[in-house]
Every structure is written in C-alpha cells, then in structure tokens.
Amino acid sequence: MAEKPKVAFYWCGSCGGCEEAVVDLAEDLLTVAEAVDIVLWPVAMDFKKQDVEALPDGAITASFINGTVRLSEHEEWVKLLRRKSQLVFAFGSCAHLGGIPGLANLSNREEIFRWYYKEGPTVHNPDGHEPTPEFRQNGYAFELPEFWNTARALDQVIEVDYYIPGCPPPAHIVKDAVMALLQGQLPPKGSVLAGSRALCHECPLNETKPEKLLLKDLKRPHEVIPKPDECLLAQGLLCLGPVTRGGCGALCINAHMPCTGCFGPLDHIRDFGAKGLGALASIVDFQDEDDIERALEKIPDPVGTFFKYSLPASLVQRRNMGGKTS
Amino acid sequence: MSAYEPKIVGIFCNWCAYTAADLAGISRMKYAPNVRIIRVMCSGRFDPQMVFWAFKHGADGVLIAGCHPGDCHYQEGNYKALRRYKLLQKLLDQLGIERERVRLEWISASEGEKVKQVIDEMTETLRRLGPLKIQEAPGEEAAAAPAAGGGHHG
Ligand code: SF4
Ligand code: SF4
Ligand code: FES
C-alpha cells in the first residue's frame, strides 16, 4: 500500500475552538485519521518541533494552521511548516483574516502589557514584572517568545494555498475540505473553501428581505427578541449576510442572531469591514445630518461590528499609533 | 517637515463636483496641486474601501465631492454618501486616523471657486497633520526584535 499522506495541525494565537471544530468531525474524524498520517497536532498528540524539523522539506502533504500570528514562536512554527508542507490551509477566521484576537491591533504591545501586568483591576504585581524574551534566575536562563505589536493573518506571514473560513469552521466545511484534499479535487490555489455567493442566498429568511431596504430604527441584539420569520436586517438588526461569503448554512440566523461575518468577504470584496460598513450605513433612512448621526448611535463600535474577524487582513490592518508599533 | 507635500485623492461626482473642477481649470484658478481627482458617476459610488485603499497606497487624505442635497442626478446618491461618511468618521476615531483626513463636500457645477477653496483648505490641514502612516513596513517588527526567527525554541 502506498504511504499515507502526512498531515499536520498547528495552532497559533487562538481560542481552541478550531481544535474543537476538528473533533466535531465526530465519526468522520476516524475516517480521516485512517486515511492520513498525522505528524503534528499539539492539542492531542505528543510531537516536538525536532520531529517536524527532521522531516525532509515538502514531506507533509498538508498543514492546517489555525490562530492569528502574534508571537515570534508562531512565526517560527508557520515558517517551518511552510517549508515542510506541500500545501498550507489557513484554518478558521484567525488564520484566514486575523480573527477576533486580531482586534488587539487596536492596541500595541506596550498598552496590552500595561493593562494586563499593571493597571488591570485584578492584577497583583507589586514588583511590576512583565514578560521579557530572556530572563535569568539562580543561574538559569529562560526564554519566552517575543510578543509582536501587530497580530497578523497567516498569509501576511507565509504563503497560503487554501482558506477554510469560519469561527470556528463548521464540521461540513472541514469535512469537504479534507475530502477534496484526499480525493485530489481541490479548486485553484488561493480559493476559500466555502460558498461563492452571499450568505443571504442560503438564508431561510431571504424571501422576506425587501428588494430595497431602508431603516429608520437600527436595533442591537440585546434590545429585541427577533421575529423568527422575517429577515433580521429588515427588523433593524445589523446582519452582515449581504456581504458575507455563504457556506455555513446560515447557522447564526437559524439561532435568531444576525450574521457577524465570520466567513469573511466574497471574492470581489477587498476589505470586508469597509464594505460592510458602507453597505449597512447606506440603508439608514434619513437625509438630515443630525438624524443620521442619531440613528448611527446604535452602532457604538464600528470596528467591533464590521471588523470583528478581519482587522489584521483589512487595508488599514491596525490602529494608527503614530509609529509606536515597532 | 517643510518638504512634505500631502497627497489627496479626490472622488468627484461627474455631474457637479467634477464639472466644477473643470470650470476651475478653464477659469485658470490657482489652487494647490496636491489632489488627484477620480471621476465617479455619483458620490453615492464612494465606498469606504476606496478610502482605505487610497490610504494604504500612500494618500494622506481623501476628498469626496458630490452634488448639493436635492441635486443628485440619481436622487439619493449623495445621501448614501453622507451616511457612509458619517459612520466612517466614527470608525476613523477608533482607528486613530484624524477625521480631517476624509472630507465630504457638496459642490455644484458652477462652484469652481469652492473647488479651489476646499482643496486649498484641505491641503493646509493635511500639511499640519503630517503624513499618514497606517501600517508598519513589512518586516519592521522582525527588525525591531532580532531574536525572532532565530529558532531559539528548537
Ligand atoms: S440580511 Fe441576514 S437575515 Fe436577512 S436574508 Fe440576509 S442573511 Fe438572512
Ligand atoms: S451566519 Fe455569519 S457569523 Fe454565523 S456562522 Fe455563518 S458566516 Fe459565521
Ligand atoms: S450625481 Fe452628483 S452626487 Fe449623485
């Protein structure tokens, strides 16, 4: 029998949800595990960096990498995996677009450390210790990874062949991607392995979405119990379905929550957040400046609303901190 | 700072603002040469993606200009632009980008003088604000932290 394809899983700055997504394959996981030879999976198996380094370049058929790239350690690992792998899959929103941890790009290392090691209300740190890359005590030297100022999407650090979107990717999306890999039926490189049309097209409420939508009254999810049978956007909830790539099966809508855009942009959109902001602002049904401003008060956090998963991959990438990001 | 000349990208609607810029040119008005004007059919075509694209590629400011309220050739376009602009301003605050770097103006076809005044003003404002540097250069962090990539965890 021919040798099984070698597969690696790796996590960068992530919450662990993407690991769950792999486990969510349930029985299918066993089929996958049968068909491949897993050479790295930190959450579940005990392989070391030396094991990966010992492999010849290109020996791994595919690496599935989740999480945002935020530490020097992440950067080293993904560069190593890139060298050892024929294909690299960015797995989940963080690797795809920077993800929720990418919202840390509203800040920088100095601010983050100040809060978490000094000023935060639950911090007890009388000596003011902070993580440093090198640390000596009792004659021993310790090393910690460097914490970057800017969190990055995977393709801002290494070349990525495919993207598996979602926060986390739903099981059917993961399964389809793995099957396409095993059966040699992958689409052209650079593809996002999900739908090619907007989420609205697969939304069960789409029929109730008016052709031309204008709203006087925007609502925030905690303010209303949405009607189950009417387009959420038409009810005033900021649903990003019109600009988000389909493929999830309208998971959030089916749970009566508006789409927050975890599948990221459609192919023709360069900047998901900017596009979403433009699309949703234009439905505010006022002409007078003050009225518009009042209606927009219901969007107190535009970055968190429109760039929830994509700030690092956006055209601006991060908050402008007057050069204090290096 | 004296050598610094701000770059402005102008997004001008065909029917009013662009015509006014033409008029300013034909009338040989002198105004700051800092703006590169892109003609769009209507200010309603302005998309915040364009603003960030311009910033990413070196613009220091973006000037959007359309017909006065009520005068848009497509009825509603300039109101759409206004709504986007208003929300974009809130976003700029969060992103640490000064609000003055994006400006929206209504300029009718006959207001050549206003084209001059707005461009001169905006150029002056941007001179005061200085260049916009939204992203670090690639590799900047690695250079700042030479320990990176050294494989010291192997
Ligand atoms: S806007 Fe949201 S709720 Fe409405 S049809 Fe699209 S995805 Fe469904
Ligand atoms: S509805 Fe939107 S946010 Fe929810 S899983 Fe689908 S793409 Fe992600
Ligand atoms: S045509 Fe000028 S703003 Fe619409």
Side-chain angles (χ1 to χ4, degrees):
Chain A
M1 201 184 115
E3 216 183 303
K4 291 183 192 172
K6 290 186 174 43
V7 166
F9 296 96
Y10 191 70
W11 50 9
C12 295
S14 62
C15 68
C18 281
E19 309 296 334
E20 280 292 335
V22 176
V23 178
D24 278 349
L25 286 172
E27 303 72 276
D28 291 327
L29 183 59
L30 300 176
T31 323
V32 173
E34 283 280 284
V36 303
D37 182 9
I38 299 176
V39 297
L40 175 76
W41 193 9
V43 77
M45 299 166 91
D46 188 20
F47 292 106
K48 301 276 184 263
K49 197 172 185 186
Q50 295 93 302
D51 301 323
V52 179
E53 281 167 341
L55 295 168
D57 286 359
I60 303 174
T61 305
S63 281
F64 295 85
I65 302 176
N66 71 63
T68 185
V69 183
R70 126 82 71 224
L71 300 175
S72 56
E73 184 186 34
H74 300 149
E75 193 168 330
E76 288 162 29
W77 266 99
V78 303
K79 285 182 173 162
L80 172 65
L81 287 169
R82 176 69 272 185
R83 202 161 66 239
K84 301 294 176 186
S85 313
Q86 290 157 35
L87 297 174
V88 167
F89 289 69
F91 189 103
S93 301
C94 296
H96 178 199
L97 301 165
I100 293 176
L103 287 171
N105 284 0
L106 289 174
S107 196
N108 63 2
R109 174 173 44 219
E110 188 190 321
E111 278 188 8
I112 292 170
F113 279 16
R114 198 189 315 134
W115 180 255
Y116 282 98
Y117 296 98
K118 295 199 173 111
E119 292 173 357
T122 55
V123 176
H124 179 73
N125 182 8
D127 300 331
H129 291 303
E130 268 187 16
T132 49
E134 275 170 52
F135 171 68
R136 287 185 171 278
Q137 195 166 39
N138 302 334
Y140 293 98
F142 301 89
E143 288 179 346
L144 276 181
E146 191 90 30
F147 186 95
W148 296 149
N149 278 304
T150 301
R152 292 182 167 80
L154 190 58
D155 66 5
Q156 292 172 322
V157 181
I158 58 169
E159 199 182 319
V160 168
D161 300 295
Y162 294 101
Y163 302 85
I164 302 176
C167 183
H172 70 274
I173 291 283
V174 178
K175 188 181 161 196
D176 289 352
V178 174
M179 287 308 155
L181 168 70
L182 293 178
Q183 294 164 359
Q185 286 173 346
L186 285 164
K189 280 197 185 186
S191 299
V192 181
L193 304 177
S196 53
R197 300 208 295 166
L199 178 71
C200 287
H201 289 286
E202 68 194 49
C203 173
L205 305 178
N206 194 24
E207 275 172 25
T208 61
K209 185 177 161 209
E211 195 62 40
K212 188 166 186 251
L213 198 58
L214 283 171
L215 291 171
K216 291 226 182 315
D217 200 7
L218 301 178
K219 299 196 182 70
R220 303 179 63 193
H222 65 274
E223 296 176 327
V224 278
I225 296 177
K227 285 174 261 164
D229 51 3
E230 188 187 354
C231 164
L232 297 173
L233 193 54
Q235 296 185 57
L237 287 159
L238 289 182
C239 183
L240 288 169
V243 289
T244 302
R245 182 185 296 277
C248 70
L251 283 174
C252 296
I253 318 296
N254 286 321
H256 313 297
M257 285 296 283
C259 171
T260 53
C262 81
F263 266 45
L266 291 157
D267 283 334
H268 67 279
I269 298 174
R270 172 59 190 85
D271 188 310
F272 180 80
K275 180 71 189 180
L277 180 141
L280 291 194
S282 62
I283 67 175
V284 171
D285 191 15
F286 289 108
Q287 301 188 337
D288 175 80
E289 289 204 32
D290 294 337
D291 291 338
I292 295 172
E293 274 176 26
R294 208 169 310 117
L296 292 178
E297 279 170 13
K298 286 293 171 71
I299 312 178
D301 174 16
V303 171
T305 306
F306 300 106
F307 295 82
K308 183 170 178 182
Y309 306 95
S310 65
L311 184 57
S314 71
L315 289 161
V316 287
Q317 192 186 29
R318 60 168 294 103
R319 188 174 127 218
N320 176 27
M321 300 189 70
K324 286 177 96 176
T325 52
S326 54
Chain B
M1 196 54 69
S2 64
Y4 164 65
E5 275 302 325
K7 291 192 209 61
I8 303 174
V9 170
I11 302 175
F12 281 36
C13 111
N14 178 56
W15 302 101
C16 293
Y18 195 83
T19 312
D22 247 359
L23 178 67
I26 293 166
S27 333
R28 298 175 172 271
M29 285 179 197
K30 280 207 168 27
Y31 57 87
N34 301 56
V35 67
R36 279 77 162 165
I37 297 177
I38 295 165
R39 178 168 55 158
V40 291
M41 287 312 280
C42 171
S43 68
R45 286 300 309 276
F46 133 72
D47 172 339
Q49 289 190 99
M50 297 171 179
V51 173
F52 291 141
W53 193 91
F55 284 161
K56 185 182 164 80
H57 292 88
D60 301 297
V62 176
L63 171 61
I64 304 139
C67 312
H68 283 268
D71 289 348
C72 169
H73 278 234
Y74 309 93
Q75 323 298 337
E76 289 269 319
N78 47 6
Y79 295 121
K80 277 193 188 165
L82 177 63
R83 295 165 196 151
R84 290 183 183 139
Y85 166 79
K86 286 285 176 192
L87 191 52
L88 182 59
Q89 294 278 304
K90 286 172 80 162
L91 180 75
L92 294 181
D93 290 347
Q94 286 184 295
L95 293 174
I97 298 172
E98 299 87 350
R99 285 190 173 209
E100 297 95 312
R101 293 192 187 273
V102 183
R103 186 163 170 168
L104 176 68
E105 286 292 339
W106 309 136
I107 304 176
S108 78
S110 60
E111 292 179 309
E113 187 57 40
K114 188 164 180 187
V115 172
K116 168 186 157 57
Q117 171 227 325
V118 166
I119 291 176
D120 283 350
E121 251 177 49
M122 188 163 179
T123 304
E124 212 27 69
T125 307
L126 292 176
R127 266 198 201 113
R128 188 164 44 73
L129 290 178
L132 175 65
K133 179 171 164 282
I134 50 164
Q135 289 170 325
E136 61 206 337
E140 198 174 313
E141 300 223 46
H152 57 287
H153 306 287

